[in-house]
Amino acid sequence: MIDVKHLTKLYGTKTAIADVTFSVEKGEVLAFLGPNGAGKTTTMRILTGALPATSGTARVAGHDCFDQPMEVKRAIGYLPEVPPLYGEMTVNEYLTFVGRIKGVDPAQLPAALDRTLERLSLGDVRGRLIANLSRGYKQRVGLAQAIIHDPPVLVLDEPTSGLDPKQIIEIRELIKELAGSHTIILSTHILPEATAVARRVVIIHEGRIVAEDSQERLSARLRRSEKVSVMVKTPPTDVRERLQALPGVLSVHQDDPQTFLVEAELGHDLREDLGRFVVTSGWGLLELKPVSITLEDVFLRLTQEESDKGEGDRPIVEEVRS
Amino acid sequence: MSPVGAITRKEIRSYFVSPIAYVVAAVFLLLIGLLSYLAVLSVSNRSLQMLRLQGNMPELNVNEMVFRPVFENMAVVMLLVVPILTMRLLAEEKKLKTMELLLTSPVTIADIVLGKFFAAFTIFAGMLALTASGALALVPFAEFRWTPILTAYLGTLLLGGLFLSAGLFASSLTENQIISIMLSFGFLLIIWLFGWAGQLFSDTVLGAILTYLSPIDHFLNMIKGLIETKDLVYFLAGITFSLFLTYRVIESQRWRS
Ligand SMILES: Nc1ncnc2c1ncn2[C@@H]1O[C@H](COP(=O)(O)OP(=O)(O)O)[C@@H](O)[C@H]1O
Ligand SMILES: [Mg+2]
């Protein structure tokens, strides 16, 4: 549905994205993950036909984004980083205008409008001025604008940025509902967001794709150790040394006074040995659970690998968490 | 509905909501009303004077003595008022980032430019139509010919179109409405001054070129009741040129941003 090959974009002499290649199958939800300035918006604007690439090709729904912009624009619903809203219009007036310029058949427009308002639960505010809506409602109107012409592909640029936690959950739920009937690519700089809504993740950093895979496979590929978290009631003072002495254990970290994170070699399941050891030592086993690697670990590791190679000396971690 | 139609309708609505249309029309009509009143007053004073001195009522040419100065002054009022109609047209879309919506919709840049231009032109034509009430009010009291008045209205419409297209171009250059309106004033006053400069070098080729480039002579011809191809071509070419420049600016901004 979306096919991007060797896409490069320079702003003057500054490289915004370099040799970006990825594809999205019909019905898939893909998260485009990267810190600010990674090149997410640039890639999306090229996909929507708003911005020509310097080199490379992008195809959406079988049409070339540069040679057939009209077909591509008809096939895409786009929510930019800043939702493109006219404050002086009511929700109804705005969506009617968008429907008209998106080429919705005038006879079908009232039905399309009702369907869109219904899907995004905007019925109650349809007569209100957009300027007077809350930030969360404005974002929903932005989403409504993207789906009014029922496009097969949705491109959503940081759809939850600037929202409060409750609104973020609402918008994520809406995106999950839309996932059934649309192919979706969404960008985010928030790691849990990618896991919450997308099955597949493309990680972009300083204009280059550093990883592209399903969330599980990415984790597997990057996993170098098995981790188990163990919580005990009365740990002795030399607990770390004694755990460390167990066969196969690589390292032991103390998370809080009673919780320890034990790392073992890959393929070595520690749980049985560890459980028996804690119980026979009489420390009082409270909890024992495997720690699965999160996308957060994946991301940190990938971007660290990247900077280990000498590219970019800024800490990415802080940007990601901000 | 065609994309141009959709954009035109949206802009016209916005003129009334904002409410630029009412304010501009009110100021414009007030000024034209005052100018017309002063023109009529000065003519009647003069004829009363002649009546006293010569004892008879002179033949008055209302077209020459009333309508012509009113239309001439109207052009000056338009220099000041018309840029207000165009200042926000593109500047605001860029500032609010709604240009992104237009540029990612299946409409062409030409649709956007024409839609905006037609909206501003419709508002201007509406304002102008309201001034016709002044001419109609004179019908019971004076005799005059309608043809020069109609050609003068056509000339004013074309002059307005030229000003609006230059204003739209100015609006494409910036996100700031104040800068947009200042640029419009600049463009309009410069082409206006071409006419005066042309008179200074009236025997030279340069003078002839400057005079042709200024709207003044073309407009004055039409006020006199003359419709000539060279004047029509001037206005239509000027409007097309400005709209084309606007198109190119939007296109190049798309490439750079
Ligand atoms: N119009 C522009 N002119 C020059 N540089 C730009 C422009 N837009 C973006 N950039 C640069 O390109 C890079 C990628 O930006 P962007 O695609 O907006 O990243 P993201 O959306 O991931 O935050 C950044 O370094 C940014 O500074
Ligand atoms: Mg961005």
Side-chain angles (χ1 to χ4, degrees):
Chain A
M1 209 57 174
I2 301 176
D3 202 15
V4 172
K5 287 207 177 80
H6 308 297
L7 211 56
T8 297
K9 172 74 191 178
L10 307 179
Y11 291 108
T13 55
K14 186 182 186 323
T15 308
I17 55 169
D19 199 25
V20 165
T21 301
F22 67 92
S23 63
V24 189
E25 297 302 318
K26 191 167 189 296
E28 216 181 357
V29 180
L30 177 101
F32 217 55
L33 176 63
N36 288 327
K40 304 182 295 294
T41 301
T42 302
T43 310
M44 292 186 144
R45 294 190 68 220
I46 294 172
L47 281 180
T48 58
L51 182 71
T54 307
S55 66
T57 57
R59 295 177 74 82
V60 172
H63 304 286
D64 187 281
C65 294
F66 191 63
D67 296 334
Q68 299 162 292
M70 285 297 160
E71 285 79 1
V72 168
K73 287 171 185 181
R74 260 187 278 274
I76 287 184
Y78 176 42
L79 174 61
E81 228 166 336
V82 182
L85 306 174
Y86 298 104
E88 91 250 359
M89 290 189 181
T90 65
V91 173
N92 251 343
E93 286 166 340
Y94 173 69
L95 292 177
T96 305
F97 168 67
V98 175
R100 283 181 188 143
I101 59 170
K102 297 287 178 186
V104 178
D105 179 353
Q108 322 262 296
L109 191 51
L113 187 64
D114 287 341
R115 190 195 62 227
T116 306
L117 291 170
E118 159 98 50
R119 274 185 102 169
L120 296 181
S121 315
L122 283 167
D124 294 343
V125 299
R126 61 190 298 167
R128 297 255 303 269
L129 282 184
I130 292 177
N132 298 339
L133 296 179
S134 70
R135 185 76 181 76
Y137 267 108
K138 281 183 183 155
Q139 195 71 8
R140 275 200 237 175
V141 178
L143 270 179
Q145 162 279 134
I147 64 168
I148 181 116
H149 54 307
D150 201 19
V153 176
L154 293 182
V155 176
L156 312 175
D157 197 355
E158 310 224 4
T160 62
S161 71
L163 300 182
D164 68 33
K166 182 165 161 285
Q167 295 165 338
I168 289 179
I169 291 168
E170 283 170 10
I171 295 291
R172 281 187 196 161
E173 288 306 315
L174 287 171
I175 293 172
K176 279 188 210 161
E177 279 165 35
L178 293 171
S181 43
H182 303 267
T183 303
I184 301 182
I185 167 167
L186 68 96
S187 75
T188 175
H189 65 276
I190 306 156
L191 301 162
E193 176 134 310
T195 28
V197 289
R199 290 279 307 284
R200 216 155 63 83
V201 181
V202 164
I203 299 178
I204 183 168
H205 179 56
E206 292 183 347
R208 290 178 184 275
I209 291 187
V210 290
E212 190 225 316
D213 219 327
S214 72
Q215 181 215 326
E216 300 85 9
R217 296 242 309 271
L218 260 185
S219 315
R221 213 175 85 195
L222 286 149
R223 190 192 302 205
R224 289 175 189 153
S225 58
E226 311 271 353
K227 283 184 190 158
V228 179
S229 158
V230 59
M231 194 172 171
V232 296
K233 202 170 176 186
T234 49
T237 46
D238 60 344
V239 62
R240 287 182 58 181
E241 289 73 30
R242 294 184 53 188
L243 288 175
Q244 183 87 60
L246 284 173
V249 171
L250 292 176
S251 69
V252 180
H253 289 280
Q254 186 160 18
D255 276 2
D256 63 53
Q258 291 183 306
T259 313
F260 302 87
L261 196 63
V262 185
E263 195 179 6
E265 286 157 4
L266 198 59
H268 188 124
D269 194 343
L270 266 183
R271 281 174 292 178
E272 251 188 289
D273 292 348
L274 195 60
R276 195 178 311 117
F277 180 69
V278 173
V279 171
T280 52
S281 306
W283 298 343
L285 181 61
L286 293 179
E287 191 184 73
L288 181 75
K289 63 176 183 197
V291 178
S292 60
I293 193 161
T294 63
L295 194 63
E296 192 141 357
D297 301 322
V298 171
F299 186 76
L300 292 181
R301 188 161 291 167
L302 280 168
T303 45
Q304 267 157 17
E305 276 173 11
E306 196 70 9
S307 42
D308 288 348
K309 282 185 229 154
E311 298 176 22
D313 38 8
R314 303 173 291 140
I316 294 100
V317 192
E318 276 154 38
E319 272 177 53
V320 169
R321 293 208 167 125
S322 65
Chain B
M1 182 182 289
S2 73
V4 177
I7 293 170
T8 303
R9 261 179 76 165
K10 171 212 148 217
E11 290 306 331
I12 290 179
R13 215 195 125 270
S14 161
Y15 274 121
F16 287 101
V17 175
S18 48
I20 292 178
Y22 297 111
V23 175
V24 170
V27 171
F28 183 72
L29 292 174
L30 183 74
L31 286 171
I32 301 306
L34 268 173
L35 288 168
S36 311
Y37 176 70
L38 292 176
V40 171
L41 204 63
S42 86
V43 169
S44 58
N45 277 351
R46 253 192 293 167
S47 55
L48 282 178
Q49 242 169 3
M50 283 165 101
L51 186 66
R52 243 186 329 210
L53 292 176
Q54 302 171 356
N56 65 339
M57 190 72 173
E59 269 296 299
L60 284 178
N61 185 336
V62 177
N63 286 94
E64 291 270 324
M65 297 177 72
V66 179
F67 285 108
R68 217 152 99 186
V70 170
F71 277 109
E72 282 172 20
N73 289 324
M74 186 157 10
V76 177
V77 174
M78 279 161 55
L79 278 175
L80 301 172
V81 166
V82 167
I84 300 171
L85 289 178
T86 50
M87 65 178 181
R88 47 170 287 285
L89 283 178
L90 289 162
E92 194 174 57
E93 299 268 10
K94 283 190 280 177
K95 178 139 195 176
L96 295 178
K97 312 271 185 216
T98 45
M99 199 65 180
E100 192 85 343
L101 168 65
L102 301 180
L103 290 177
T104 53
S105 296
V107 302
T108 62
I109 295 177
D111 292 334
I112 299 172
V113 174
L114 288 178
K116 303 250 167 192
F117 176 72
F118 289 151
F121 193 72
T122 306
I123 298 292
F124 174 71
M127 266 164 42
L128 201 58
L130 293 176
T131 65
S133 56
L136 293 174
L138 278 183
V139 170
F141 310 108
E143 259 177 39
F144 51 88
R145 287 176 300 127
W146 275 102
T147 328
I149 295 179
L150 292 180
T151 64
Y153 266 114
L154 178 63
T156 314
L157 265 184
L158 289 172
L159 186 72
L162 182 71
F163 286 5
L164 291 170
S165 63
L168 187 60
F169 172 58
S171 186
S172 75
L173 296 172
T174 172
E175 289 187 2
N176 183 315
Q177 297 188 29
I178 304 292
I179 295 179
S180 165
I181 200 166
M182 290 315 293
L183 287 173
S184 299
F185 286 145
F187 293 152
L188 298 185
L189 289 174
I190 284 171
I191 56 168
W192 204 254
L193 291 182
F194 278 175
W196 295 358
Q199 282 176 345
L200 285 181
F201 315 108
S202 53
D203 316 324
T204 65
V205 179
L206 177 69
I209 293 175
L210 286 175
T211 306
Y212 185 81
L213 287 180
S214 168
I216 297 178
D217 271 18
H218 307 286
F219 178 65
L220 291 180
N221 278 345
M222 297 189 80
I223 299 185
K224 285 179 206 147
L226 298 173
I227 294 210
E228 286 187 60
T229 319
K230 71 169 177 24
D231 301 327
L232 297 179
V233 166
Y234 168 82
F235 283 116
L236 296 177
I239 292 170
T240 312
F241 180 65
S242 301
L243 295 182
F244 175 72
L245 286 183
T246 312
Y247 173 97
R248 292 306 299 259
V249 169
I250 297 177
E251 197 176 44
S252 76
Q253 283 168 349
R254 194 179 70 107
W255 276 82
R256 271 188 284 112
S257 65

